[in-house]
Amino acid sequence: MNYAMVVNQFGLLVMLLSGFMLIAPAVAAAFRGLPGDASAVGAMIITGTTSLLLGSVAFLLSRKGDKFLGRKEALLLVATSWIGGALVAALPFWLWALWDSPAGHPFRSLVHCYFEAMSGLTTTGATVLGGEQPIDIESLPPSLLLWRSLTHWLGGLGIVVLFVAVLPGLGVGGKRLFNIEASGPAKEGLQPQIRETARWLWYIYVGLTVAEFLLLRTLGGLDSFDSLNHTFATLSTGGFSTRNASIGAFEGNLFVYPIIITFMLLAGVNFGLYYKLGRGKLTNIFADTELRVYLGLTALGTVLIALTLIVNQTPITMTDATVHETPGWLGAFWHSTFATVTSLTGTGFCAPDFENWPFLAKGLIVTIMFVGPCSGSTGGGMKVIRVWVGIKLLLAEIEHIFRPQVIRPVRLGNTTLDPELRLGTAIYLLGVLVLFAGGAFLVMFFEQFNSQQDLDPITALTASIATLSNVGPGLGLVGPTGNYGGFTSPSLLLMSLLMALGRLEVYAIIVLFSPTFWRRD
Amino acid sequence: MNYAMVVNQFGLLVMLLSGFMLIAPAVAAAFRGLPGDASAVGAMIITGTTSLLLGSVAFLLSRKGDKFLGRKEALLLVATSWIGGALVAALPFWLWALWDSPAGHPFRSLVHCYFEAMSGLTTTGATVLGGEQPIDIESLPPSLLLWRSLTHWLGGLGIVVLFVAVLPGLGVGGKRLFNIEASGPAKEGLQPQIRETARWLWYIYVGLTVAEFLLLRTLGGLDSFDSLNHTFATLSTGGFSTRNASIGAFEGNLFVYPIIITFMLLAGVNFGLYYKLGRGKLTNIFADTELRVYLGLTALGTVLIALTLIVNQTPITMTDATVHETPGWLGAFWHSTFATVTSLTGTGFCAPDFENWPFLAKGLIVTIMFVGPCSGSTGGGMKVIRVWVGIKLLLAEIEHIFRPQVIRPVRLGNTTLDPELRLGTAIYLLGVLVLFAGGAFLVMFFEQFNSQQDLDPITALTASIATLSNVGPGLGLVGPTGNYGGFTSPSLLLMSLLMALGRLEVYAIIVLFSPTFWRRD
């Protein structure tokens, strides 16, 4: 293992993070003014400068020597980027809290800050903030709010570049693991010119960012600060909001819902498709199987959830506590669309409080959290393509029982899935389910151990999947109007690990637990 | 599809069931006397005679014509045997209840009777009986109690013969699906002389039955009736008891625990191993990988659960409400062994009420319910061998990520698992988890739909796995002192389906839902 090169590249990443940390307070001050934000700006400048310094030292000291970055080094670097990066990103929260936060603020605990930063960088959007002032979201100084949203945006960009540009270029092995993600069913693949691809992805990402910002600012009627923050949180399918009621705070403007829904959906598409479309390598984007299943699933979820709302004549309570007593067909579809898209893409913005919805609607919402959007998008979860392959494998296996003579190949578009890929997909799905169950079990255990009271299992189960799938809110204590601030530190650290596992598609983190990985070879 | 042959063989099965239905009251009367049992004996004679008649007619009318019993016919016959057989087995309960049961008795509902009979034939042991007299277990007439235990014994024998003797003989396709179960890792396999193998299995099963009966009768101090019933329930890993407190009722005698624990463990072993041992084809039974993992898992579960009891100084409450305030190390191990073995083998006998145990102990108990004992045993669940293979596959996949050049074969004993078998195992495990989650979800939905109140999720989740894995008791309302009588009919029917799915290793039931299965070909 060439540790020097890992340190070198991680140093570079820390320098990059620090740079944004130093820019953020200036932008926040420009939008919201400096008064009341002084201590937070101070905290960000101090941590930004310090980490810029440390990052530079690490980068410079490790500059010489072997430039080799092999498979193991790349995996270790990816894992370190999120696990270590979250620590760097957590420091401004913590320093500000030690310095100038009200008593009992969650950020006075470094673990809570780490959870929040990891939730940001992994584009999860689970927050420890919430409750009455001054520990709610809106009481946080503007520069910290912006930094919080910015971690989403950086994390989302990082993931797209990683999964669409970098990993498929790591050679055949890398292709094997990530070829479904990287190029969709057609295997022509993105060219291994990593820099070129990354540059294009950056254009696309920034382009979408500018478009959503302008739409929210003009049509949506949000001020510049809110527009910027919510744009960051949408395109990364993150979900941090600057408002306690999340998107529910903007219900007054008719355009906010459709803008947010559209961009959440766009962020859930494989960015490789945008790239191919932009480079003229694809004429019909809807030829992509995963995209069609993704849109079909969105439509199906919306209709089913709307129907349960209509049949049960459920009043829609919003996160800002306004209630639509008789929402009617249109209202039911309206809010069902929002709930479906925010859950499927793993954004986790809240507007209707689905905690009070019928059991069936809640069950569907949790189920689609497992699925997640397309591979190569900024969203988390199992990914549409894997679930689709999993369903095909199950059906093929059933037919195989009574027709062993028929060997029907499992196809995806024009490609026949080879045995290794089929096994890999099945094991991946199995692994996610094991992690989900293990996560829920450990959270219940940690909380029970600390409080001697059983944690409500719905909270534990949905907290586990909402972090593992990088969604954010779940049900129960972590529902649309709840938050993660009440968990004890072991649970928060565990859920930070779940977020990293989910974000990096499990393997990049789980290899760290393998003794063979660390062995010299 | 040759329906005539399926009807013919099912007719034969009904005749066999009816025969036992006519013998049971005589045996019960011999042990417990006729007074107080008259109406139940009448009900059994009437249903036994009627179904004997109907079975004979079906058998005789379908006797002529094509004798072909192919793969599809075999699958349909197996499914019909349990789904239809449970209906026949349920009739004595129902007729007795219509005729002579106290008001509000669960058996007045045919669905409840069907659930109980399915629970018997699938060796699950989940019961709708319980609560205060006269709807408790002990108030049931002796002949019905014996019939209830007898369904376990017949179901257990059927499963062993099916999975060890019949299915592996169905040709290569059959071998493919069941070869792990049938012959353990070494592939020499049992000879396809089905009759011969079945006869030997019958000897072994009856031999173990006689041995346990005698031990319980003499050392255990149980009367003949209780000895017989509990022997039936142990060897089939069923778990129906004649006592409200289950095995907790016999705590006074020191020998009952070790006898029951030993025979539960023996029933959880692959009967193919006993067969091979008996035929001199195996010198060292412990060479079998699955057996070693099974025993290791038992030891591990026992130690871990005992440790949580010791650390937490948990008082042990028995199902008969006696409490051991300070059980000490020995007591903790004693009861932990019982709880581990009854859960892992899927017997579901109760003695310590683990509902009050620490969270970690309960979590471990539920986890081992998923696993189940060895393939080719009378127990349900995923089976030790599949879980073992699943773990190996997960580990192999992790190493594959950072060492794609190393192709390490996944081995089991001396056999390398071929890709098809690896994929099949992964998909099977995935399928069981999907069924478990779907089952819990639907139970919650049915109960919520009927009562407008959310069902406690722990009850729903453990009821789903306890029926799917053919265990019996779970936690919450279906815990060691609870029962399934409170569920509504849709839930009971669903759980009957789960029991059949689990018992027949999913595929024999699930093919019935495939339209292709019914298509002419």
Side-chain angles (χ1 to χ4, degrees):
Chain A
M1 182 85 78
N2 182 359
Y3 289 106
M5 193 60 187
V6 176
V7 171
N8 180 269
Q9 293 294 304
F10 181 66
L12 197 64
L13 180 97
V14 171
M15 286 163 69
L16 196 78
L17 268 180
S18 313
F20 279 101
M21 218 183 273
L22 291 171
I23 298 167
V27 177
F31 287 150
R32 284 277 159 101
L34 200 57
D37 198 17
S39 55
V41 170
M44 291 199 64
I45 292 176
I46 293 173
T47 45
T49 317
T50 314
S51 56
L52 184 62
L53 217 73
L54 290 175
S56 314
V57 169
F59 177 74
L60 292 173
L61 285 182
S62 58
R63 198 175 30 144
K64 297 209 170 139
D66 192 2
K67 288 280 173 210
F68 176 72
L69 192 72
R71 194 166 180 77
K72 284 169 94 171
E73 285 80 6
L75 283 166
L76 183 60
L77 177 60
V78 165
T80 313
S81 300
W82 263 264
I83 292 175
L87 187 62
V88 175
L91 291 177
F93 299 137
W94 194 47
L95 188 63
W96 166 78
L98 290 184
W99 194 354
D100 190 33
S101 74
H105 198 282
F107 282 173
R108 290 197 176 193
S109 137
L110 181 57
V111 171
H112 283 68
C113 296
Y114 186 77
F115 178 90
E116 194 85 3
M118 181 63 97
S119 172
L121 286 178
T122 56
T123 80
T124 305
T127 181
V128 295
L129 299 174
E132 300 295 309
Q133 278 186 330
I135 59 163
D136 62 335
I137 294 168
E138 291 171 19
S139 305
L140 206 65
S143 56
L144 288 182
L145 280 176
L146 183 63
W147 174 240
R148 198 166 154 263
S149 311
L150 197 55
T151 55
H152 271 346
W153 192 77
L154 294 171
L157 180 62
I159 276 298
V160 168
V161 169
L162 191 66
F163 278 85
V164 180
V166 179
L167 289 174
L170 271 185
V172 181
K175 262 210 150 47
R176 180 193 155 272
L177 171 60
F178 299 105
N179 57 356
I180 288 193
E181 295 81 5
S183 51
K187 271 198 181 168
E188 68 266 34
L190 299 169
Q191 299 312 309
Q193 305 134 324
I194 296 181
R195 270 169 201 280
E196 171 70 4
T197 314
R199 197 161 54 86
W200 269 88
L201 290 173
W202 160 257
Y203 293 159
I204 295 164
Y205 198 69
V206 170
L208 287 170
T209 304
V210 171
E212 188 185 349
F213 173 79
L214 291 177
L215 282 171
L216 283 178
R217 182 75 193 79
T218 53
L219 278 180
L222 273 62
D223 69 23
S224 299
F225 187 72
D226 280 345
S227 300
L228 190 63
N229 278 286
H230 287 91
T231 297
F232 286 165
T234 315
L235 280 179
S236 59
T237 69
F240 279 151
S241 173
T242 50
R243 301 301 186 97
N244 291 328
S246 190
I247 305 301
F250 309 116
E251 219 208 342
N253 187 306
L254 263 180
F255 290 105
V256 175
Y257 248 43
I259 297 171
I260 297 272
I261 289 173
T262 306
F263 280 90
M264 286 197 288
L265 268 177
L266 288 172
V269 173
N270 187 338
F271 275 65
L273 290 178
Y274 297 144
Y275 167 81
K276 285 202 235 174
L277 205 66
R279 302 303 306 266
K281 291 179 181 171
L282 194 69
T283 47
N284 179 12
I285 197 169
F286 295 102
D288 186 72
T289 309
E290 186 178 26
L291 182 64
R292 281 183 288 142
V293 178
Y294 166 61
L295 294 177
L297 202 59
T298 308
L300 184 72
T302 302
V303 171
L304 287 179
I305 293 171
L307 282 179
T308 68
L309 294 177
I310 292 164
V311 169
N312 288 274
Q313 299 188 294
T314 314
I316 311 272
T317 310
M318 304 298 289
T319 41
D320 63 351
T322 49
V323 182
H324 305 288
E325 282 297 344
T326 48
W329 279 68
L330 198 69
F333 268 96
W334 196 230
H335 295 296
S336 155
T337 308
F338 187 89
T340 305
V341 173
T342 195
S343 310
L344 181 64
T345 60
T347 309
F349 274 145
C350 301
D353 181 5
F354 50 73
E355 187 72 35
N356 308 311
W357 287 8
F359 175 77
L360 198 57
K362 284 192 284 187
L364 288 167
I365 287 172
V366 174
T367 306
I368 56 179
M369 283 183 186
F370 279 89
V371 180
C374 302
S375 56
S377 73
T378 57
M382 291 170 164
K383 302 291 149 56
V384 167
I385 194 80
R386 286 211 188 85
V387 174
W388 188 242
V389 170
I391 292 170
K392 287 199 163 208
L393 290 177
L394 280 171
L395 294 178
E397 193 72 12
I398 291 169
E399 189 181 358
H400 198 82
I401 300 303
F402 60 92
R403 279 185 169 176
Q405 70 284 8
V406 179
I407 307 288
R408 209 184 285 277
V410 177
R411 300 176 72 83
L412 202 62
N414 297 318
T415 320
T416 304
L417 297 179
D418 64 64
E420 206 179 359
L421 203 55
R422 280 185 276 159
L423 181 64
T425 307
I427 292 183
Y428 186 88
L429 295 175
L430 202 57
V432 169
L433 293 178
V434 169
L435 285 173
F436 154 67
F441 178 76
L442 281 177
V443 167
M444 286 185 84
F445 173 61
F446 289 149
E447 296 305 306
Q448 210 272 349
F449 189 80
N450 274 285
S451 66
Q452 303 300 321
Q453 279 193 324
D454 283 356
L455 176 70
D456 140 46
I458 289 289
T459 297
L461 290 165
T462 58
S464 179
I465 191 60
T467 48
L468 184 63
S469 273
N470 304 120
V471 177
L475 293 170
L477 297 179
V478 298
T481 58
N483 65 75
Y484 288 76
F487 285 106
T488 56
S489 295
S491 295
L492 289 176
L493 286 176
L494 174 75
M495 288 189 278
S496 302
L497 182 66
L498 288 178
M499 292 191 272
L501 278 163
R503 182 68 287 182
L504 300 172
E505 310 226 314
V506 181
Y507 293 118
I509 298 292
I510 218 154
V511 290
L512 306 184
F513 294 95
S514 164
T516 341
F517 181 76
W518 300 103
R519 213 175 288 157
R520 226 174 253 274
D521 56 7
Chain B
M1 181 84 78
N2 183 0
Y3 289 105
M5 193 59 188
V6 176
V7 171
N8 180 269
Q9 293 294 304
F10 181 64
L12 197 64
L13 181 97
V14 171
M15 287 163 68
L16 196 79
L17 268 180
S18 313
F20 279 101
M21 218 183 272
L22 291 170
I23 297 167
V27 177
F31 286 150
R32 283 278 159 104
L34 201 57
D37 199 16
S39 55
V41 169
M44 291 199 65
I45 292 175
I46 294 173
T47 45
T49 317
T50 314
S51 57
L52 184 62
L53 217 73
L54 290 174
S56 314
V57 170
F59 177 73
L60 292 172
L61 285 182
S62 58
R63 200 177 25 145
K64 299 206 169 141
D66 191 1
K67 289 281 172 212
F68 176 73
L69 192 74
R71 194 169 181 76
K72 283 169 96 172
E73 287 80 4
L75 282 166
L76 184 59
L77 177 60
V78 165
T80 314
S81 301
W82 263 264
I83 292 175
L87 188 61
V88 175
L91 292 177
F93 299 138
W94 195 47
L95 189 62
W96 166 78
L98 289 184
W99 194 354
D100 190 34
S101 75
H105 198 282
F107 281 173
R108 290 197 175 194
S109 139
L110 181 57
V111 171
H112 283 67
C113 295
Y114 185 78
F115 178 90
E116 194 83 3
M118 183 61 99
S119 172
L121 286 178
T122 56
T123 78
T124 305
T127 182
V128 296
L129 300 174
E132 298 296 308
Q133 279 187 329
I135 59 163
D136 64 336
I137 294 167
E138 290 171 19
S139 304
L140 205 67
S143 55
L144 289 181
L145 280 177
L146 183 62
W147 174 240
R148 197 165 154 265
S149 310
L150 198 54
T151 54
H152 271 345
W153 193 76
L154 294 170
L157 180 61
I159 277 299
V160 167
V161 169
L162 190 67
F163 278 84
V164 180
V166 179
L167 289 174
L170 271 184
V172 181
K175 263 210 150 48
R176 181 194 154 270
L177 171 59
F178 300 105
N179 55 357
I180 288 194
E181 294 81 4
S183 50
K187 271 198 182 168
E188 69 267 34
L190 298 169
Q191 300 311 309
Q193 307 134 322
I194 296 181
R195 271 170 202 280
E196 172 70 5
T197 315
R199 199 161 51 86
W200 268 88
L201 291 172
W202 160 256
Y203 294 157
I204 295 162
Y205 199 66
V206 170
L208 286 170
T209 305
V210 172
E212 188 185 351
F213 174 79
L214 292 177
L215 282 171
L216 282 178
R217 182 75 191 79
T218 53
L219 276 181
L222 273 64
D223 69 23
S224 299
F225 187 72
D226 280 345
S227 300
L228 190 63
N229 278 288
H230 287 91
T231 298
F232 286 165
T234 315
L235 280 179
S236 59
T237 68
F240 279 151
S241 174
T242 51
R243 302 301 185 96
N244 291 329
S246 190
I247 304 302
F250 308 115
E251 220 209 341
N253 186 307
L254 264 182
F255 291 106
V256 175
Y257 249 44
I259 297 172
I260 297 270
I261 289 173
T262 306
F263 280 89
M264 289 197 287
L265 268 178
L266 287 172
V269 173
N270 188 339
F271 274 64
L273 289 179
Y274 297 145
Y275 167 79
K276 286 201 233 174
L277 206 65
R279 302 303 308 265
K281 290 179 182 172
L282 195 70
T283 46
N284 179 12
I285 198 170
F286 295 103
D288 185 75
T289 310
E290 188 178 26
L291 183 64
R292 277 183 291 143
V293 178
Y294 166 62
L295 295 177
L297 203 58
T298 308
L300 184 70
T302 302
V303 171
L304 287 178
I305 294 172
L307 282 180
T308 69
L309 295 177
I310 291 164
V311 169
N312 288 274
Q313 298 187 293
T314 314
I316 311 274
T317 310
M318 305 297 290
T319 43
D320 64 351
T322 47
V323 182
H324 305 288
E325 283 297 346
T326 46
W329 279 69
L330 198 68
F333 268 96
W334 195 231
H335 295 295
S336 155
T337 308
F338 186 90
T340 305
V341 173
T342 195
S343 309
L344 181 64
T345 60
T347 309
F349 275 144
C350 301
D353 180 5
F354 50 74
E355 186 72 36
N356 309 312
W357 286 8
F359 174 78
L360 197 58
K362 286 193 282 187
L364 288 168
I365 287 172
V366 173
T367 306
I368 57 179
M369 284 184 186
F370 279 89
V371 180
C374 302
S375 56
S377 73
T378 57
M382 290 170 165
K383 303 289 151 56
V384 168
I385 194 79
R386 286 210 189 86
V387 175
W388 188 243
V389 170
I391 292 170
K392 286 198 164 208
L393 290 176
L394 281 172
L395 294 179
E397 193 72 14
I398 292 169
E399 189 182 359
H400 198 85
I401 300 304
F402 60 92
R403 279 185 169 176
Q405 69 285 5
V406 179
I407 307 289
R408 207 184 286 275
V410 178
R411 301 175 70 85
L412 202 62
N414 297 318
T415 320
T416 303
L417 298 179
D418 64 63
E420 208 181 355
L421 202 56
R422 279 185 277 161
L423 182 63
T425 306
I427 291 183
Y428 186 88
L429 295 175
L430 202 56
V432 168
L433 293 178
V434 170
L435 285 173
F436 154 68
F441 179 76
L442 282 176
V443 166
M444 285 185 84
F445 173 61
F446 288 149
E447 297 304 306
Q448 210 272 348
F449 190 80
N450 274 284
S451 66
Q452 304 299 322
Q453 279 194 324
D454 284 356
L455 176 69
D456 141 46
I458 289 290
T459 297
L461 290 166
T462 57
S464 179
I465 191 59
T467 48
L468 184 62
S469 274
N470 304 121
V471 177
L475 292 170
L477 297 179
V478 298
T481 57
N483 65 76
Y484 288 76
F487 285 106
T488 57
S489 295
S491 296
L492 289 177
L493 286 175
L494 174 77
M495 286 189 280
S496 303
L497 182 67
L498 288 178
M499 290 191 274
L501 278 163
R503 182 68 288 181
L504 301 171
E505 311 228 313
V506 180
Y507 293 118
I509 298 290
I510 218 153
V511 289
L512 306 182
F513 294 97
S514 164
T516 341
F517 180 76
W518 300 102
R519 211 175 289 158
R520 224 174 255 276
D521 57 6

